[in-house]
Amino acid sequence: MPMTPPETTGGPISPPPTTDSIAWVAAPFPAPSPVPTPGPGIGVGCTAAQLRRFIKSRAYVPMHELRRRFAIDGTEDDVTRVSAGGGHVFVGLPAREGQLLGELLRGGDIGYELSLDPISPIVIGVYPMRPVSRS
């Protein structure tokens, strides 16, 4: 038996709804959840050993990768002055982490790449200087 299309009623086609016929309900945005702040006794940040291990495991680490990997809080304007190689360089990390990186720089564990755009010695990435001994 052949199939036939369904019959139409022949009635008028209703127009699409207009904005007058739609009831808009403004739902409030949920309040942002508070960011937990560490209390006393809870360690914050990374250690020099963790930084060294992470940097040694890669050929090159840009500064933003250090911030992401160790969840280093702070603003993008955080810069720490570090003494290295008879002069000073600027590291885009908060003071605590910047000083930890400075210890690794002065110890010869890591090297650094400087930005060439501004004529100031700002570190944009780091790399390992000595091979990691596997024992």
Side-chain angles (χ1 to χ4, degrees):
M1 176 158 224
M3 294 194 64
T4 58
E7 294 183 22
T8 58
T9 59
I13 298 174
S14 61
T18 63
T19 56
D20 296 337
S21 64
I22 298 174
W24 294 94
V25 178
F29 288 106
S33 60
V35 177
T37 56
I42 297 176
V44 178
C46 56
T47 65
Q50 290 171 325
L51 276 174
R52 180 184 308 109
R53 189 176 307 116
F54 180 71
I55 294 168
K56 295 275 188 184
S57 70
R58 285 153 177 74
Y60 178 80
V61 181
M63 295 308 294
H64 72 272
E65 182 68 17
L66 284 179
R67 283 179 171 266
R68 186 195 65 79
R69 170 66 171 84
F70 293 106
I72 298 173
D73 290 330
T75 65
E76 59 274 358
D77 294 335
D78 282 339
V79 177
T80 303
R81 182 177 164 185
V82 174
S83 300
H88 298 287
V89 295
F90 297 94
V91 178
L93 295 173
R96 180 184 171 280
E97 289 82 3
Q99 293 307 320
L100 291 175
L101 199 70
E103 291 173 15
L104 297 175
L105 289 171
R106 286 186 296 277
D109 291 324
I110 62 172
Y112 56 88
E113 179 185 14
L114 298 176
S115 173
L116 298 177
D117 189 15
I119 310 296
S120 60
I122 187 146
V123 176
I124 59 172
V126 293
Y127 51 88
M129 294 295 288
R130 299 182 202 153
V132 177
S133 62
R134 309 265 184 205
S135 50

